[in-house]
């Protein structure tokens, strides 16, 4: 047997009657704009924190340090400032906490209410940030943005997977990641434009977050709720009518019965977070907790948050730094398409393993380049040629992430759970992801200051670890009907012993995703 575990043929799952209706496509496109607000925030803060006017107004000490480049000071430390990193990372801590509240709202009041609440809170945050007069206003605004994102990231993926016909679920799931990357790119383009303004460029950058938020909030008001959510809230008739509408057929008996059954099964599990600790869910628990942790330890957000700051550290000029962020943002969007077209064909493991190796090579390359130019003292500067080589290596690294750990970091945890632990698994996934996004956001500038070029080797070491982990412990899940996933675990060389015999074959025949 292959080390990765047995591969279950993708047959035997149920096929429901379902057309891909324009209605469902529009609903999903609108819902996916939730990814835009997340992406916009990831991409905006790095550019803003590298703008002189912004630094001068809110973080004068950083500004003074940055300008003090006499050639004797370490380049590695010029941006180290805990208040500055708190500006970036406070959002993720807020999102982490909010996602727990969102989970209750989403269950009790429906997915669209969560999206609307998220959009409105986010809007207030954007206004506060755009109007900020002092650091407190900035950070409170950022926290509100975080709460909005916590709500959106909790409800949007659930909404998408419930609305999507089963055979499109993978592609639609990556649609959310696509929206994230478009948001990041939009932010870096906005930063590039506003940095040319004499004053208040940063205000416009921050306030424009209101645009994707408005799209999402207004969209959410008009979105229908999912059949699953309607059943969950006792509205069976409406649920059936909605299911017929989104599937474009009245032949929905089977899927409807499965939705009702799924809702009953999940109602019996009173404490999903306790259930998931049972031995038979060990493979899912371990993988759901490790994947978001590993995703953040690829070091991707060093690039996404701080690309302009990083490029400035490497000696690029202001303009070149912001332009470089636009370039990495474009690579990120384009490379995501690769995963959409290959994920169901070549499978998750091939993408994980290839992407991992490609990232390791780039990280070693960038680390070596930075070491050779800046050494341990951190003095020196890149020539044009070495600068471009570093940028090229970073782009190849971003591409690798964009077709591996980016989309798969969200897709895999969402598809490996049986119904009864799927929702708990999703909360663990989101909160672990947000927690480590916070940690990286908060620690990166200090790490750069202390680990110096070793920072690139540090993340490279983690990518070696996670690639080995995938090789040994993450089985292939492409084309496996979601409710037959237990067979995959059962035939795995390591996880097999955790799965009781009766768990295989007794799987619920239900291919819906119940959150
Ligand atoms: C990650 C983010 C990251 C983004 C980059 C997402 O999957 O969760 O942390 O910034 O990808 O495109």
């Amino acid at each position: 047997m292959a080390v990765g575990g047995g591969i279950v043929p993708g047959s035997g799952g149920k096929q429901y009657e379902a057309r891909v209706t324009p209605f469902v496509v529009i609903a999903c496109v609108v819902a996916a704009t939730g990814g835009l607000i997340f992406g916009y925030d990831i991409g905006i803060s790095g550019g803003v924190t590298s703008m002189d006017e912004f630094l001068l107004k809110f973080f004068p000490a950083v500004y003074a340090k940055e300008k003090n480049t006499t050639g004797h000071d370490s380049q590695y430390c010029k941006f180290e400032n805990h208040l500055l990193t708190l500006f970036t990372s406070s959002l993720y801590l807020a999102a982490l906490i909010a996602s727990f509240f969102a989970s209750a709202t989403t269950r009790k009041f429906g997915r669209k209410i969560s999206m609307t609440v998220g959009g409105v809170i986010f809007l207030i945050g954007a206004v506060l940030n755009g109007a900020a007069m002092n650091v407190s206003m900035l950070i409170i605004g950022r926290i509100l943005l975080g709460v909005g994102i916590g709500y959106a990231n909790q409800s949007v993926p659930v909404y998408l997977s419930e609305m999507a016909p089963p055979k499109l679920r993978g592609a639609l799931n990556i649609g959310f990641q696509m929206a994230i990357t478009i948001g990041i790119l939009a932010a870096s383009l906005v930063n590039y434009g506003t940095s040319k303004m004499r004053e208040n460029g940063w205000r416009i950058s921050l306030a424009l977050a209101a645009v994707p938020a408005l799209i999402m909030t207004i969209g959410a008001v008009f979105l229908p709720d999912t059949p699953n959510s309607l059943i969950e809230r006792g509205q069976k008739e409406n649920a059936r009518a909605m299911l017929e509408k989104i599937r474009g057929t009245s032949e929905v008996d089977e899927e409807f019965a499965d939705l009702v059954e799924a809702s009953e099964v999940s109602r019996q599990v009173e404490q999903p977070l306790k259930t998931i600790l049972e031995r038979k869910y060990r493979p899912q628990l371990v993988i759901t907790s490790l994947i978001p942790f590993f995703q953040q330890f690829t070091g991707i957000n060093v690039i996404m948050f701080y690309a302009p700051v990083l490029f400035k550290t490497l000696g690029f000029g202001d303009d070149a730094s912001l332009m470089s962020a636009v370039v990495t943002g474009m690579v990120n969007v384009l490379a995501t398409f690769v995963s959409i077209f290959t994920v169901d064909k070549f499978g998750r493991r091939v993408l994980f393993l290839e992407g991992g190796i490609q990232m390791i090579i780039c990280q070693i390359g960038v680390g070596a380049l930075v070491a050779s130019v800046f050494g341990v003292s951190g003095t020196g500067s890149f020539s044009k040629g070495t600068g471009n080589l570093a940028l090229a290596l970073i782009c190849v690294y971003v591409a690798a992430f964009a077709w591996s750990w980016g989309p798969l970091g969200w897709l895999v945890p969402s598809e490996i759970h049986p119904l009864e632990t799927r929702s708990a698994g999703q909360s663990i996934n989101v909160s672990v992801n947000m927690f480590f996004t916070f940690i990286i956001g908060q620690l990166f500038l200090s790490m750069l200051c202390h680990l110096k070029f070793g920072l690139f080797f540090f993340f490279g070491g983690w990518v070696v670890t996670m690639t080995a982990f995938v090789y040994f412990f993450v089985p292939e899940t492409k084309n496996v009907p979601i409710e037959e996933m237990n067979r995959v675990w059962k035939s795995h060389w390591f996880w097999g012993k955790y799965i009781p015999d009766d768990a295989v074959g007794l799987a619920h025949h239900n291919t819906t995703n119940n959150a």
Side-chain angles (χ1 to χ4, degrees), residues 470-488:
V470 167
Y471 183 76
F472 290 108
F473 297 109
V474 180
E476 182 55 65
T477 49
K478 82 165 171 184
N479 295 338
V480 179
I482 207 160
E483 305 305 338
E484 281 168 34
M485 213 51 88
N486 253 342
R487 291 171 200 268
V488 173

Side-chain angles (χ1 to χ4, degrees), residues 409-420:
W410 296 103
L411 175 61
V412 172
S414 81
E415 67 180 7
I416 58 174
H417 287 273
L419 190 59
E420 60 274 21

Side-chain angles (χ1 to χ4, degrees), residues 38 42 177 180-181 184 295-296 300-301 304 332 401 405-407 410 433 437:
F38 182 40
I42 293 172
Q177 172 73 12
I180 297 176
T181 62
I184 298 175
Q295 190 205 47
Q296 290 308 313
I300 188 66
N301 280 325
M304 295 302 144
N332 195 21
F401 176 87
W405 282 89
W410 296 103
N433 197 303
T437 307

Side-chain angles (χ1 to χ4, degrees), residues 181-252:
T181 62
I182 293 173
I184 298 175
L185 176 62
S188 55
L189 284 169
V190 167
N191 276 339
Y192 188 70
T194 60
S195 69
K196 306 242 176 301
M197 296 173 54
R198 249 201 253 129
E199 16 189 75
N200 290 333
W202 61 271
R203 271 194 206 285
I204 295 184
S205 285
L206 295 181
L208 278 179
V211 175
L214 266 178
I215 300 177
M216 183 180 102
T217 314
I218 296 173
V221 172
F222 294 102
L223 281 182
D225 227 329
T226 67
N228 317 50
S229 175
L230 292 168
I231 295 175
E232 207 169 29
R233 289 176 289 140
Q235 305 176 27
K236 275 200 189 167
E237 263 168 43
N238 291 344
R240 162 117 205 173
M242 182 52 65
L243 190 61
E244 290 182 9
K245 193 164 174 197
I246 61 179
R247 297 290 179 250
T249 167
S250 54
E251 313 281 309
V252 295

